[in-house]
Amino acid sequence: MEVQKNVERLIQTLKDEDELVQLQSLSLLEEIGGPAVDQLIQALDDDNKNIRKGAARVLGEIGDNSAIEPLIHALSDENKWVRREASTALSKMGDQAVDPLIRILEDDDWRIRGAAAWALGNIRNQAALQPLIKAMQDDSGFVRGGAAWALGQLGGEEAEAALEAALDDKSGYVRKVAQNYLSRG
């Protein structure tokens, strides 16, 4: 019971505008680890964006698989910093997050599809290769850019072929990402 009260206090401290106070709270929540997971998952729905952002960050550091689906839900947060922390957190979850992230490459929201592509690139699991190649045809340049970067992280002949095709993409950013990878070879 005492741990739960401490976790709640630390989560509420994430509202503080002082970054040092926030960082200390994040560090303490990471130290608490597993016993804080349920409350951190609940905090992903808090009204305060700093609490949502901090909760996502700590969940990524703890790496508890029960946070995968709530973090995927957080990818649709109205705040871009919360979305970014959720994507980063998912990329730290490793192979357990691959299938859920592949599924959301088909989401209606381009921000969610793009975040999934970036997270998959950080995980570097070959199971994402074909779905990422398919994502190179997405309407959104953000999604194609994330997929191109992720394919560069995965490497291999198929990824390279998709990146060579991306040299003709209508987005200058996608072309640049592809060129950066191909010039390393």
Side-chain angles (χ1 to χ4, degrees), residues 132-147:
L132 287 167
I133 289 172
K134 182 179 177 193
M136 291 297 296
Q137 305 305 314
D138 198 278
D139 290 338
S140 166
F142 178 71
V143 176
R144 293 192 312 278

Side-chain angles (χ1 to χ4, degrees), residues 17 59-60 96 177 179:
E17 292 302 317
L59 286 167
Q96 297 300 315
V177 170
Q179 183 60 50

